[in-house]
Amino acid sequence: MTPPSQPPPSFAISAEPLQPEALKQQLLDGHAGALATFEGWVRNHNEGQAVERLEYSSYPALANKEGQRILAEAFQKFAIDAAIAQHRVGLLEIGGIAVWVGVSAAHRGAAFDACRYIIEEIKGRVPIWKKEYYSDGATDWVNCHQET
Amino acid sequence: MPKKLTIQYFALLREQRGLDQETVQSDAATAASLYADLAQEHGFTLPTTALKVALNDDFADWQSPLSDGDTVVFIPPVAGG
């Protein structure tokens, strides 16, 4: 069977809570035999400090561009049918979904590999920043420790 | 002749500058030298080695020449996911 016509790469930055079930529905396809998804959750600790909440912000013009590039790369590298990635911005509470990635493919290997590729590249390349609010009232921009 | 440049700030740099965006007249030839000037003026703590730079909404080389009307963004270390 020939794969379905390839959908356009679908990356988005969202100020509203992500909707995994609705996103999953968009990936359903008769050609696909596998769906791999990844959810990044807000956890209540980082590097030994108790975290109360997180704030994500982005550089929207470039974040969208780079996110679409990453999804396009995944289509080039892996035999997948469809892929969606969304990242939250704004204030998130513990347990909230910060990022969602879903990939459908004929076979599980490509779905797992592409899902992993997409989340790792998003973490490393897309201009999104995370500010942590700690229980003791302090805040910190993650990865921006003063290096001078 | 000085160039008119728009600078957008995000995350830690937005806090350190206290502004989302500003327009400056600058003689800086490259993004690297513009950042050095601004860092000195405003006390930015991140070194260029920790940053990336975007010109007109796409990643650029630090040594790319700046042109009149460019929009410049200095990108602090990202932390999505």
Side-chain angles (χ1 to χ4, degrees):
Chain A
M1 287 293 291
T2 52
S5 63
Q6 206 175 75
S10 177
F11 179 86
I13 301 283
S14 174
E16 301 298 321
L18 304 184
Q19 306 288 344
E21 284 308 314
L23 294 171
K24 205 170 119 177
Q25 291 300 316
Q26 295 176 35
L27 293 170
L28 286 178
D29 182 275
H31 181 267
L35 170 71
T37 66
F38 173 82
E39 290 182 10
W41 292 358
V42 177
R43 63 167 182 261
N44 66 1
H45 60 98
N46 192 32
E47 294 180 1
Q49 286 188 277
V51 175
E52 296 263 300
R53 67 182 67 84
L54 290 185
E55 184 179 354
Y56 284 98
S57 62
S58 78
Y59 169 10
L62 187 50
N64 279 306
K65 213 180 269 186
E66 193 70 355
Q68 300 289 11
R69 282 185 195 127
I70 290 166
L71 291 178
E73 289 164 15
F75 278 99
Q76 293 293 316
K77 288 173 186 288
F78 308 102
I80 59 176
D81 288 344
I84 292 174
Q86 293 196 354
H87 203 296
R88 263 302 298 277
V89 290
L91 217 48
L92 277 79
E93 302 294 328
I94 303 307
I97 302 177
V99 59
W100 192 90
V101 179
V103 179
S104 61
H107 303 287
R108 66 186 180 283
F112 275 125
D113 291 348
C115 189
R116 177 79 189 247
Y117 177 81
I118 291 165
I119 185 61
E120 298 297 343
E121 295 300 304
I122 287 173
K123 287 178 78 86
R125 290 164 52 185
V126 177
I128 293 172
W129 300 278
K130 175 161 60 178
K131 187 177 188 178
E132 292 181 329
Y133 292 75
Y134 304 108
S135 300
D136 64 3
T139 64
D140 190 30
W141 288 97
V142 174
N143 295 343
C144 289
H145 294 287
Q146 303 173 1
E147 297 177 25
T148 47
Chain B
M1 200 174 112
K3 291 174 282 276
K4 185 179 166 190
L5 303 169
T6 300
I7 303 160
Q8 293 181 321
Y9 294 104
F10 293 97
L12 178 64
L13 286 173
R14 179 176 291 186
E15 287 189 354
Q16 291 185 341
R17 181 64 187 92
L19 286 173
D20 293 359
Q21 181 172 316
E22 65 180 331
T23 301
V24 301
Q25 299 286 335
S26 172
D27 290 315
T30 64
S33 96
L34 175 66
Y35 185 77
D37 294 346
L38 292 168
Q40 186 166 21
E41 187 176 348
H42 303 299
F44 298 154
T45 53
L46 290 165
T48 51
T49 49
L51 299 166
K52 289 183 177 173
V53 64
L55 296 181
N56 306 315
D57 291 340
D58 217 337
F59 291 110
D61 193 278
W62 281 104
Q63 299 307 322
S64 303
L66 296 173
S67 304
D68 190 58
D70 278 351
T71 296
V72 186
V73 179
F74 302 108
I75 300 173
V78 303

